Amino acid sequence: MKIDTEQVIATYKDRIFAIGLTMLKNPDDAEDVVQETFLRYHYNNKKYLNSKEHIESWLYKVAINKAKDIQRKFWKRKQVSMEDYMATIPFDKSQDEELFQAVMLCHQSIVL
């Protein structure tokens, strides 16, 4: 028998929030982890989620995975090509821009 969602939320919401906040460093994102985790629990029909130990470990694993999903989405959204980034930098002199390009070209060859 599956434990009622409201009871599970009351018991684990603070711990799930702490997992999200620790991983994401943002309370809004941590709150998203809480909501997504409990929605997943509510709609899950797994038979093995019938003991406190199974529910607890399942919730923590789901919360960690949700936080990782949010991290991936954030970094994917924030990536900018080097050309786009350079277009945003106001150089006072053309020599400054040439120096910056030379440094970045050298850096790219080291990273690759």
Side-chain angles (χ1 to χ4, degrees):
M1 183 174 121
K2 187 174 173 181
I3 298 174
D4 184 53
T5 303
E6 290 179 17
Q7 184 180 354
V8 172
I9 291 170
T11 304
Y12 296 103
K13 68 181 176 189
D14 293 336
R15 292 182 207 160
I16 300 299
F17 181 82
I19 289 170
L21 189 60
T22 299
M23 291 182 69
L24 300 169
K25 312 290 189 241
N26 180 316
D28 293 331
D29 289 339
E31 197 59 48
D32 288 345
V33 168
V34 171
Q35 291 175 10
E36 291 292 325
T37 300
F38 290 121
L39 277 172
R40 185 130 179 237
Y41 175 80
H42 181 72
Y43 290 110
N44 192 320
N45 293 321
K46 303 287 186 203
K47 301 287 186 211
Y48 64 83
L49 291 178
N50 57 3
S51 73
K52 181 180 177 184
E53 294 80 21
H54 286 125
I55 291 171
E56 187 172 311
S57 62
W58 186 87
L59 287 170
Y60 294 162
K61 186 66 175 171
V62 169
I64 289 167
N65 287 336
K66 292 294 179 186
K68 286 179 181 179
D69 289 346
I70 291 171
Q71 284 175 328
R72 279 192 287 277
K73 288 178 186 176
F74 172 79
W75 290 113
K76 220 136 173 79
R77 282 193 321 251
K78 297 298 178 185
Q79 288 179 346
V80 177
S81 72
M82 184 60 67
E83 292 78 21
D84 291 343
Y85 176 68
M86 287 177 57
T88 65
I89 301 173
F91 295 103
D92 293 333
K93 302 176 192 170
S94 64
Q95 293 171 335
D96 294 342
E97 185 174 359
E98 291 168 12
L99 176 62
F100 179 79
Q101 288 176 350
V103 169
M104 294 313 293
L105 184 61
C106 180
H107 175 70
Q108 284 178 339
S109 64
I110 292 171
V111 172
L112 296 175

